[in-house]
Amino acid sequence: MTIQSTGQTALEYMPCRYGRSKLVFRGPRKRLETDYVAFLGGTETYGKFMPQPFPNLVEQSLNVQCVNFGCVNAGPDVFLGDPFVPGACSKARVTVLEVMGAANLSNRFYSVHPRRNDRFLKPSMLMQTIFRSTDFTEFTFTRHLLSTLQSEAPEKYEIVVDELRQAWLARMRSLLAKIDGKVILLWVKPPMTAQVGPLGGDPLFVDRTMMEQIGQSVTGIVEVDLPSHDAALRLEGMSYTEMDQPAATELWGAPAHQLVAADVTEALTKMV
């Protein structure tokens, strides 16, 4: 059953910090002096609108402490530049790293906010040279920028996408190099029948060739294909305000978190 609220705080995330990190994570805050599994990722790992996101469900199934280092709208840049998180993951028994899209990272064409990676900051001189007719002051978010470029200059847009894919590979390799120990990549793909935006489905621009390349640097990959659900079922189990409903429809619902948790639990059972 969908949990809804018209109040200003439909769900209490108990925000917390760890160590020297400037990032705000979902609580409750966990003790890092004991054994734990670290979960690293974006909005879905954080569990926006979800009372019980998949890291919580894995913890309940394994009876092993799970620390949620997910950040809303994060890309690899968030964690690569953090002074605390890679080290904390290195001390974990295993790190489960959600595969995040390639749009929300700085590259040769544009830069993003260091902590809110979905925020477009500014174009590079190279981008201004290639897209001379584009007014970049109109853009706040990377998706809006990329959607506009795709519509107005599709051939030049493909050059940007290729750059983002190469930047993603380089950044992911750098992040993995900073994490000692076992790492599982969690690659969750939308249903083949799902209606996705013009840019494609999440994780944006990541394809199997990229995963095969990056997979050489990790312990294993958990690949999850989400089943097709109607809008009502996608919202099942979520807690959100009326204003948040459009955003909630873009995220996983409880059935998806349960499916992901089951697959991750199966993989971790052999490792913890």
Side-chain angles (χ1 to χ4, degrees):
M1 182 178 69
T2 301
I3 305 170
Q4 299 187 40
S5 171
T6 57
Q8 294 301 308
T9 55
L11 186 61
E12 175 53 63
Y13 296 106
M14 294 178 282
C16 64
R17 296 182 187 272
Y18 291 96
R20 296 182 296 119
S21 178
K22 295 182 179 179
L23 303 175
V24 178
F25 303 104
R26 179 169 183 160
R29 192 175 189 276
K30 302 293 183 69
R31 295 186 61 185
L32 303 185
E33 295 80 14
T34 58
D35 283 349
Y36 59 90
V37 174
F39 284 79
L40 205 59
T43 302
E44 302 295 3
T45 297
Y46 182 90
K48 190 172 183 180
F49 306 132
M50 284 301 305
Q52 292 291 320
F54 72 89
N56 294 37
L57 300 176
V58 172
E59 181 176 79
Q60 294 164 15
S61 297
L62 286 180
N63 197 29
V64 174
Q65 180 174 238
C66 293
V67 182
N68 191 333
F69 289 128
C71 288
V72 175
N73 296 320
D77 280 354
V78 162
F79 306 108
L80 189 57
D82 190 84
F84 178 82
V85 172
C89 290
S90 297
K91 296 177 182 178
R93 297 181 69 177
V94 185
T95 296
V96 178
L97 173 56
E98 175 197 350
V99 174
M100 298 162 280
N104 296 344
L105 49 80
S106 294
N107 56 86
R108 290 190 305 148
F109 289 104
Y110 61 84
S111 56
V112 300
H113 190 281
R115 290 186 297 278
R116 304 180 69 178
N117 288 171
D118 62 327
R119 299 297 180 97
F120 167 76
L121 289 184
K122 61 180 180 179
S124 66
M125 288 299 298
L126 175 62
M127 192 168 208
Q128 293 180 73
T129 300
I130 295 176
F131 297 91
R132 293 184 180 275
S133 61
T134 302
D135 180 6
F136 292 101
T137 62
E138 297 180 356
F139 305 111
T140 302
F141 298 98
T142 57
R143 281 183 181 267
H144 182 201
L145 166 70
L146 292 167
S147 296
T148 300
L149 297 182
Q150 182 190 49
S151 176
E152 296 182 352
E155 292 185 1
K156 295 178 181 179
Y157 160 80
E158 290 299 331
I159 299 174
V160 177
V161 172
D162 184 65
E163 164 65 14
L164 289 171
R165 286 176 168 146
Q166 295 305 313
W168 184 91
L169 285 169
R171 223 64 56 82
M172 285 290 286
R173 290 190 179 107
S174 295
L175 177 59
L176 290 168
K178 296 183 71 172
I179 301 175
D180 295 329
K182 299 175 182 178
V183 178
I184 291 178
L185 286 183
L186 173 60
W187 186 23
V188 182
K189 298 171 292 180
M192 295 296 294
T193 57
Q195 290 187 351
V196 297
L199 298 178
D202 290 320
L204 208 58
F205 306 139
V206 176
D207 58 24
R208 185 164 297 281
T209 299
M210 296 164 67
M211 290 298 298
E212 289 174 352
Q213 293 182 57
I214 209 67
Q216 301 170 9
S217 304
V218 299
T219 308
I221 299 175
V222 174
E223 185 174 336
V224 183
D225 291 291
L226 295 182
S228 180
H229 293 311
D230 58 27
L233 191 54
R234 285 201 304 273
L235 291 171
E236 182 179 336
M238 285 187 169
S239 178
Y240 53 86
T241 65
E242 184 176 351
M243 184 179 298
D244 287 330
Q245 183 170 344
T249 59
E250 302 296 323
L251 302 177
W252 310 344
H257 278 266
Q258 292 162 3
L259 176 62
V260 170
D263 287 356
V264 171
T265 297
E266 182 179 358
L268 289 177
T269 299
K270 308 167 186 177
M271 305 173 71
V272 299

